[in-house]
Amino acid sequence: MSQLDVKIGPKIKSFRRQLGLQANKLAEQLGISPSYLNLIESGKRKIDGDLLLKVCEELKIELSDLTN
């Protein structure tokens, strides 16, 4: 896994928490299980491009917000 993969997950978690959004609610909106979202947020799983774009849409952020 690249450094970018490891850093994106915690950023997703941070933006989600800023919105006051529960992990299980975001997972439901994304069509994934809460445990899979947890693995992504903890940097233990890679996130594919389609899901990454969906995350950005749900959190109302730009892709660049996660990659900077």
Side-chain angles (χ1 to χ4, degrees), residues 16-17 19-29 37 41:
R16 176 180 60 74
R17 285 183 166 175
L19 289 175
L21 190 57
Q22 295 282 334
N24 59 349
K25 184 69 175 164
L26 177 59
E28 182 182 313
Q29 292 169 335
L37 178 59
E41 289 185 343

Side-chain angles (χ1 to χ4, degrees), residues 27-67:
E28 182 182 313
Q29 292 169 335
L30 296 172
I32 61 173
S33 70
S35 57
Y36 185 60
L37 178 59
N38 182 47
L39 290 171
I40 291 169
E41 289 185 343
S42 62
K44 294 177 182 163
R45 281 280 186 269
K46 289 185 176 187
I47 182 169
D48 69 38
D50 290 339
L51 185 55
L52 188 57
L53 292 174
K54 208 168 175 182
V55 166
C56 290
E57 187 179 309
E58 291 297 332
L59 297 179
K60 297 171 180 45
I61 57 174
E62 297 293 324
L63 185 57
S64 59
D65 294 331
L66 296 175
T67 56

